[in-house]
Amino acid sequence: MSRFAWMDDALCAQTDPDAFHPDGPGHGYRTAAKICDTCPVRKDCEEHVERLEGAGSRADRHGMWAGAVPRARARQAETTAKEQRDALIIRLHNRGGMTAQEIAAAAGCDERTVYRVTAPHRDQAAA
Ligand code: SF4
């Protein structure tokens, strides 16, 4: 029994694990990508690796998961983190009562980012 029930149906658990962790020049992810393309639990796998890796460093990412190589997963995680940060900035801006400096501190960014993200919202409010 796997740690998660969906892992019982994972195609990578029924094949050569080295295909998902290629090592050295000339050893790509092509075989693993083909297997992931037909895997019945790909969506579960994708959600699982997103939870595992979150927005962590690229160095922490290894192997192919859900048809995605480490670099692609890192890019996606960065995009998701920026979207979540921008959504927080807009929520705090629209709520009112906070300075750009306070919003920046709450969102973990600099004030320039707050001004950039809220610019379209300021323009709408002024119109
Ligand atoms: S989608 Fe995930 S579970 Fe399925 S074969 Fe690929 S890495 Fe394994």
Side-chain angles (χ1 to χ4, degrees):
M1 173 88 176
S2 303
R3 188 163 160 218
F4 295 94
W6 63 265
M7 290 179 174
D8 290 340
D9 297 320
L11 294 183
C12 55
Q14 303 164 35
T15 186
D16 177 13
D18 288 344
F20 292 80
H21 299 274
D23 193 14
H27 295 84
Y29 287 101
R30 187 172 298 167
T31 300
K34 284 182 183 173
I35 294 169
C36 289
D37 278 348
T38 59
C39 182
V41 294
R42 184 172 174 151
K43 187 70 184 158
D44 297 294
C45 175
E46 189 177 321
E47 291 169 1
H48 182 72
V49 74
E50 282 175 11
R51 280 191 302 272
L52 283 180
E53 295 179 338
S57 100
R58 290 174 189 218
D60 296 338
R61 301 173 200 283
H62 302 284
M64 172 166 279
W65 285 75
V69 297
R71 187 184 302 180
R73 294 197 307 277
R75 274 198 308 268
Q76 182 56 49
E78 287 170 13
T79 299
T80 301
K82 282 181 186 167
E83 288 171 354
Q84 290 172 343
R85 181 204 62 203
D86 290 357
L88 173 62
I89 289 170
I90 291 166
R91 269 199 317 276
L92 294 174
H93 169 77
N94 289 343
R95 198 167 67 186
M98 290 177 79
T99 66
Q101 187 177 22
E102 290 168 334
I103 294 172
C109 62
D110 58 27
E111 287 179 59
R112 265 186 22 209
T113 300
V114 173
Y115 287 121
R116 179 183 55 75
V117 170
T118 58
H121 301 270
R122 287 196 310 272
D123 293 345
Q124 284 174 1

